[in-house]
Amino acid sequence: MESDHLYDDLQESKTAFVIALLVSIYCFSVIRRSMSVHLEWKVLCAGTGFCIVSAITLWLFVRIVKLHRSLKEVLKDS
């Protein structure tokens, strides 16, 4: 039962990671486009969003690695 729970958590984290990564890429593209037309307020807002989403993405990546290690240990023990 433990391995099923870990596997479900791992899949949810992977899905959230992909979504956060796509949002991060979008924020970065808004920064690039806004810098060329000198819209400082858009650069500031997109930069803030990029920093927040990048931190969430990094946290999700660390969670995926930890869950993967835990799942590997549980499967090895059984």
Side-chain angles (χ1 to χ4, degrees):
M1 184 63 183
E2 180 70 25
S3 64
D4 292 340
H5 181 66
L6 284 173
Y7 182 75
D8 290 341
D9 285 348
L10 183 64
Q11 292 304 320
E12 289 173 359
S13 295
K14 284 181 181 180
T15 303
F17 175 77
V18 169
I19 292 170
L21 189 63
L22 291 174
V23 171
S24 179
I25 291 169
Y26 175 73
C27 287
F28 186 73
S29 70
V30 169
I31 292 170
R32 297 278 298 169
R33 281 185 283 146
S34 298
M35 287 176 73
S36 64
V37 292
H38 304 292
L39 292 174
E40 288 83 13
W41 66 271
K42 264 191 176 179
V43 172
L44 183 65
C45 292
T48 304
F50 178 73
C51 290
I52 292 169
V53 174
S54 294
I56 293 170
T57 305
L58 181 63
W59 176 76
L60 285 168
F61 180 74
V62 170
R63 179 175 163 87
I64 288 170
V65 170
K66 287 181 181 179
L67 284 171
H68 186 66
R69 286 181 185 165
S70 298
L71 184 62
K72 191 185 295 186
E73 289 177 9
V74 167
L75 291 176
K76 184 180 177 183
D77 291 339
S78 60

